[in-house]
């Protein structure tokens, strides 16, 4: 299974009908764009809901705030395209957490129907849409010290695979592992509540099989890694 990545630019996106069943549509966005899907990035806050605006306001670094606002504007533009709504009319909710039952699980569209996932890292954002639960993640390549910090929290086999690589290859491999793992965890809605050891996704150029999910790497710009997880059972 290969996955084409659409690019959201300054024009209104031609989304077509929403993906049905296990079909997936993946989009990428350069969050430094001044115009996103026909909307000025500077006016993003006016199209977001109060929860999104409050979260953006809590971000201290201007670059982080810009990335958050741009990516959520992109999400609303794309969801609106699939649902036939203007961006500000899209109502976002949270599913119940699969761990504790509280309403802080996967983000969802009110009324259900279309599943989605959003990830952003530095100047890139990725979006995935499907008729079944889906997770997407994009990661910038970590620095050597970050690789060392995170490695011990991974699955023992992933730790061994990373340690066996030349030091110069470890950041790219770590980014692959992290993107694959986050994509799966976003798809389930569990997040990192149970740590990062499971599921085992592997550090090799191709991801390891994950029961119940189709997991694959996505095309990404240099210095990034991206992955997609789609529920199959």
């Amino acid at each position: 299974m290969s996955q084409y990545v659409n690019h959201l630019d300054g024009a209104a996106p031609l989304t077509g009908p929403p993906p049905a069943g296990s079909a997936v549509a993946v989009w990428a966005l350069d969050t430094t764009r001044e115009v996103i899907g026909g909307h000025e990035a500077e006016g993003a806050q006016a199209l977001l809901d109060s929860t999104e605006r409050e979260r953006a306001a809590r971000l201290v670094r201007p670059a982080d705030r810009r990335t958050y606002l741009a990516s959520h504007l992109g999400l609303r533009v794309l969801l609106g395209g699939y649902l036939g709504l203007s961006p500000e009319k899209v109502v976002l909710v949270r599913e119940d957490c699969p761990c504790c039952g509280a309403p802080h699980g996967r983000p969802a569209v009110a009324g259900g129907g279309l599943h989605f996932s959003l990830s952003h890292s530095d100047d890139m954002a990725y979006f995935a849409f499907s008729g079944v639960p889906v997770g997407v993640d994009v990661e910038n390549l970590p620095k050597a010290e970050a690789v060392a910090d995170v490695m011990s929290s991974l699955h023992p086999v992933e730790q061994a695979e990373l340690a066996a690589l030349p030091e110069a290859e470890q950041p790219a491999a770590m980014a692959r592992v992290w993107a694959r793992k986050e994509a799966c965890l976003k798809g389930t809605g569990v997040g990192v509540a149970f740590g990062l050891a499971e599921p085992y996704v592997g550090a090799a150029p191709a991801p390891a099989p994950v029961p119940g999910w189709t997991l694959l790497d996505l095309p990404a710009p240099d210095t990034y890694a991206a992955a997609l997880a789609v529920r199959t059972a």
Side-chain angles (χ1 to χ4, degrees):
M1 176 181 179
S2 61
Q3 183 62 55
Y4 177 74
V5 176
N6 303 282
H7 289 272
L8 180 58
D9 54 24
L14 301 176
T15 56
S22 59
V24 184
V26 178
W27 293 76
L29 167 68
D30 177 349
T31 57
T32 65
R33 294 193 61 89
E34 294 183 359
V35 180
I36 298 171
H39 299 268
E40 295 286 340
E42 287 189 358
Q45 293 202 49
L47 302 178
L48 306 187
D49 63 26
S50 59
T51 300
E52 291 168 307
R53 290 194 295 270
E54 289 168 6
R55 185 165 182 180
R58 292 197 298 268
L59 296 172
V60 176
R61 295 179 63 242
D64 293 340
R65 193 178 310 116
R66 160 79 191 207
T67 297
Y68 179 91
L69 291 170
S71 61
H72 279 252
L73 171 58
L75 174 65
R76 286 180 166 275
V77 165
L78 291 167
L79 282 172
Y82 286 121
L83 300 174
L85 299 170
S86 56
E88 70 274 14
K89 297 296 184 182
V90 175
V91 179
L92 300 177
V93 296
R94 286 278 183 172
E95 295 180 348
D96 291 342
C97 172
C99 301
C100 67
H104 56 229
R106 293 190 316 142
V109 178
L114 181 62
H115 295 265
F116 70 88
S117 181
L118 159 65
S119 174
H120 52 77
S121 179
D122 288 346
D123 294 337
M124 288 301 302
Y126 273 57
F127 314 86
F129 305 89
S130 181
V132 298
V134 63
V136 74
D137 194 65
V138 60
E139 297 290 338
N140 202 352
L141 269 59
K143 296 181 179 179
E145 53 268 29
V147 173
D149 287 344
V150 174
M151 192 182 299
S152 62
S153 63
L154 301 177
H155 190 282
V157 178
E158 292 163 349
Q159 295 181 42
E161 291 170 343
L162 287 164
L165 293 173
E167 187 174 337
E169 297 179 17
Q170 290 181 359
M174 174 61 81
R176 287 197 300 267
V177 172
W178 194 267
R180 294 167 183 172
K181 205 169 289 273
E182 282 278 8
C184 291
L185 295 174
K186 287 179 179 180
T188 61
V190 171
V192 297
F194 298 115
L196 294 171
E198 298 292 344
Y200 168 70
V201 296
V210 176
W213 295 85
T214 297
L215 176 63
L216 66 154
D217 294 336
L218 295 172
D222 292 343
T223 76
Y224 288 89
L228 173 73
V230 186
R231 194 173 75 179
T232 56

